[in-house]
Amino acid sequence: MTDAARHTRTASYLAEPGEVQRVLLLYSGGLDTSVMLKWIQDEYEAEVVALTINLGQPGEDYDVVKGKAMQLGAVEAEVVDARDEFARDFIAPAIKANAIYGLAYPLFTALGRPLIAKLAVDYARKHGCDTIAHGCTGKGNDQVRIEATVATLAPELKVIAPVRGWQMGREEEIAYARQHGIPIKGGAEQTPYSIDDNLWGRSSEGKWIEHLDHAPEDDVFQLVTRPELAPDEPQTVQISFERGIPVALDGIPMGLVALLEHVAEIGCRHGVGIVDHIEDRIVGLKVRDIYEVPAAAILLPAHAELERLTGTIHQNQFKSGLDHQWAYLVYAGLWWEPLRENLDAYMDSVNERVTGTIGMKLYKGAARVVTRSSPNAVYDAALATFETSGGLFSQQASPGFIELWSLQSRMAHRLRASQEG
Ligand code: ARG
């Protein structure tokens, strides 16, 4: 393929080679983005500023990542701790929206990408870059999320996505890395899977995961204890919410980042949050992911329980449709779509009353609601046990209700019966 062909633009925001002078590279420190760091300097004769974003990836050493970027020729390398912003502006709204895609995926990657891309825009502007480079392939949702964000927030910036264009396989990339003195992690630290993780969860893709009939191999679970190895003693945790946001764990108040980390740790110990998921990607493919989502697997059901308790039947019926729409927009990379803000206004309004405490019992992979308490519960134990109704409820009134409630159904049934008969 000639250079000209490789760089043929298919979208207005993609950079032509001549336009690329100074690139903001979203740098993780992994193989793809390390090869990119060199390749961009060679291919475009451009300067590279490396940006690494801490969204709470467990076990990452950001000094090492930064050092590697400088060693590979970055003119500058920045590490940004965005955990608070991620928790407050992305995970908290997701909790209020009970955000789950495809019945199982709590959207941690989908929530992280718009923030990563927004920070890329901020730092590209700060460093006078003309172009943002990311390491997404052409097969996933992440390219959609990142490029949609850049094109929305910074129409003046261009994008390059070398991994999508260069068509190097993993072996070629490793060869390129060797040739150019790029250190490659080896031995035990080298994971065969493609990993993405942050405070809200972790995904593994690739290798046997692509074979749908292949049951999960043990080595994929780097975070969550396998349920069969989890403690024999169950543990019940009390999660307190204020206005839809978790604020305390077992009565101890904490900030959201600390709470997410603590809950994840407890969930990991009890084998909670393993998801084996086939997903409909926005770019058409179906993909299988192994997710480890210990915090989400405890906090989302707890929140949903409290929300149902404090809402009426009408609110509860209505909200699940909006929750679904919210999750789909976010999954599909349209974080900046105004509809999401409109939906958030509704979510906030409902969550005004979502205050109280839920007890979650954790045992060998399961997380189950066992207790609930809320000053706003639309619940009266006296009504439920049919004792005194305080004038709100009369059992004698029920038959009249049933006659009217079923009226249209009965008429339609009788009509059909007579027509068929
Ligand atoms: N399938 C999930 C999603 O589309 C997870 C993607 C993980 N990303 C990655 N680059 N490994 O949100």
Side-chain angles (χ1 to χ4, degrees):
M1 190 190 277
T2 65
D3 274 8
R6 177 158 56 215
H7 294 294
T8 297
R9 283 208 294 193
T10 52
S12 56
Y13 61 78
L14 292 179
E16 299 285 4
E19 296 174 319
V20 181
Q21 254 108 58
R22 197 172 163 90
V23 176
L24 185 295
L25 167 65
L26 284 165
Y27 184 64
S28 71
L31 179 65
D32 284 341
T33 56
S34 295
V35 169
M36 277 171 65
L37 213 172
K38 270 276 184 230
W39 188 87
I40 291 166
Q41 296 172 72
D42 292 348
E43 190 83 355
Y44 293 95
E45 292 171 10
E47 292 177 336
V48 178
V49 176
L51 176 66
T52 303
I53 297 162
N54 175 0
L55 295 185
Q57 301 87 310
E60 192 68 88
D61 186 335
Y62 294 97
D63 291 335
V64 170
V65 175
K66 182 174 175 160
K68 195 169 171 184
M70 295 307 290
Q71 188 200 329
L72 295 176
V75 292
E76 287 183 75
E78 297 225 44
V79 174
V80 179
D81 182 350
R83 284 177 298 170
D84 282 319
E85 189 177 358
F86 184 45
R88 183 188 65 234
D89 296 343
F90 293 81
I91 299 178
I95 293 172
K96 290 183 183 177
N98 302 305
I100 288 281
Y101 176 73
L103 303 177
Y105 170 43
L107 295 172
F108 53 89
T109 298
L111 290 162
R113 291 300 184 260
L115 174 55
I116 288 171
K118 183 198 112 175
L119 291 168
V121 165
D122 293 347
Y123 281 79
R125 286 174 173 160
K126 173 180 159 192
H127 288 281
C129 299
D130 44 65
T131 301
I132 288 174
H134 64 75
C136 303
T137 69
K139 295 198 294 186
N141 299 311
D142 291 333
Q143 55 176 345
V144 181
R145 297 162 181 155
I146 288 180
E147 292 178 16
T149 297
V150 174
T152 303
L153 301 184
E156 82 281 11
L157 291 174
K158 300 290 178 185
V159 172
I160 55 173
V163 177
R164 193 168 56 193
W166 68 29
Q167 295 178 341
M168 277 194 256
R170 196 174 168 84
E171 294 312 311
E172 285 165 273
E173 278 189 52
I174 291 174
Y176 183 98
R178 292 228 163 83
Q179 256 170 37
H180 293 80
I182 299 167
I184 307 164
K185 286 190 200 168
E189 357 156 40
Q190 175 89 337
T191 156
Y193 306 106
S194 159
I195 307 289
D196 187 61
D197 56 6
N198 62 43
L199 277 177
W200 198 225
R202 166 189 166 99
S203 77
S204 302
E205 296 173 354
K207 274 195 69 187
W208 55 262
I209 300 170
E210 287 163 8
H211 305 292
L212 305 188
D213 60 351
H214 195 116
E217 289 184 15
D218 293 347
D219 72 351
V220 74
F221 302 114
Q222 296 291 320
L223 218 54
V224 174
T225 307
R226 284 183 290 127
E228 54 271 37
L229 302 179
D232 292 331
E233 280 305 302
Q235 178 175 356
T236 299
V237 289
Q238 303 293 332
I239 316 281
S240 301
F241 292 83
E242 249 166 49
R243 297 168 181 234
I245 296 174
V247 293
L249 174 62
D250 288 333
I252 302 165
M254 39 186 108
L256 190 51
V257 171
L259 187 138
L260 291 168
E261 287 172 348
H262 276 87
V263 171
E265 193 188 307
I266 299 170
C268 281
R269 193 171 343 123
H270 288 280
V272 169
I274 291 174
V275 177
D276 181 337
H277 196 226
I278 310 278
E279 200 162 285
D280 286 308
R281 280 186 182 169
I282 228 59
V283 292
L285 306 173
K286 286 189 197 292
V287 64
R288 181 185 183 198
D289 276 274
I290 303 291
Y291 294 132
E292 293 168 87
V293 290
I298 296 169
L299 295 173
L300 288 177
H303 173 270
E305 180 78 2
L306 192 58
E307 189 181 270
R308 271 196 306 275
L309 192 62
T310 56
T312 65
I313 181 175
H314 308 291
Q315 290 176 301
N316 293 342
Q317 291 282 328
F318 186 67
K319 187 163 179 292
S320 63
L322 299 192
D323 289 351
H324 197 261
Q325 185 68 36
W326 194 97
Y328 182 61
L329 277 181
V330 172
Y331 183 79
L334 297 182
W335 178 265
W336 309 98
E337 158 61 44
L339 175 59
R340 202 256 317 152
E341 270 182 49
N342 301 156
L343 293 172
D344 273 335
Y346 183 78
M347 306 297 171
D348 285 342
S349 166
V350 168
N351 276 278
E352 279 293 304
R353 302 199 54 80
V354 182
T355 293
T357 299
I358 299 291
M360 297 289 296
K361 186 167 181 172
L362 315 179
Y363 180 64
K364 291 195 185 286
R368 175 162 65 88
V369 176
V370 287
T371 58
R372 312 107 179 115
S373 79
S374 169
N376 301 331
V378 186
Y379 179 82
D380 183 338
L383 283 182
T385 56
F386 303 110
E387 285 160 19
T388 58
S389 67
L392 280 175
F393 182 83
S394 162
Q395 290 190 57
Q396 310 318 315
S398 283
F401 163 75
I402 295 165
E403 181 158 275
L404 301 184
W405 176 240
S406 63
L407 179 58
Q408 292 203 5
S409 306
R410 289 186 286 117
M411 286 171 66
H413 188 82
R414 191 162 61 186
L415 191 60
R416 274 184 227 161
S418 70
Q419 286 164 350
E420 281 160 19

